[in-house]
Amino acid sequence: MLGQIYVILFYALEIYSYALIIYIFMSWFPGARESQFGMILAKICEPFLEPFRKIIPPLGMIDISPIVAIFVLYFARTSGLSALFSMLYRVL
């Protein structure tokens, strides 16, 4: 049962990573974020990206906070999720 939950969470975080990447690339195309799809992705991605934007200032015209956010999500998916479930296995 825990193995299935682990797999579901792992792939959910991976899909969310892809959504973040798509949302970031949409900034390169004029009007893409104002589309229906762009607004849906904004509602999904902006709550996660906002704390990183508050901490990490942009370097001129380049905002590197989404890159840091993707790395954090990657480490949460690989190391954090496995550490959490290994602790749960020991408790149960």
Side-chain angles (χ1 to χ4, degrees):
M1 179 68 175
L2 279 177
Q4 293 172 341
I5 294 172
Y6 174 83
V7 170
I8 290 170
L9 287 175
F10 183 86
Y11 285 117
L13 290 174
E14 187 171 356
I15 291 168
Y16 191 73
S17 298
Y18 290 133
L20 283 172
I21 292 169
I22 292 168
Y23 183 68
I24 293 165
F25 282 140
M26 287 179 81
S27 68
W28 293 1
F29 302 101
R33 286 193 178 174
E34 288 77 30
S35 68
Q36 186 74 23
F37 182 66
M39 286 190 257
I40 291 170
L41 276 181
K43 288 181 182 178
I44 294 170
C45 297
E46 279 299 326
F48 181 68
L49 292 173
E50 190 173 332
F52 293 99
R53 288 190 177 131
K54 288 181 181 177
I55 297 170
I56 304 166
L59 300 172
M61 295 290 292
I62 299 173
D63 185 14
I64 62 166
S65 60
I67 297 169
V68 175
I70 289 173
F71 279 128
V72 167
L73 193 61
Y74 171 78
F75 288 124
R77 186 178 77 227
T78 55
S79 303
L81 202 58
S82 62
L84 175 69
F85 276 85
S86 68
M87 286 175 21
L88 285 175
Y89 276 125
R90 278 188 245 142
V91 170
L92 299 176

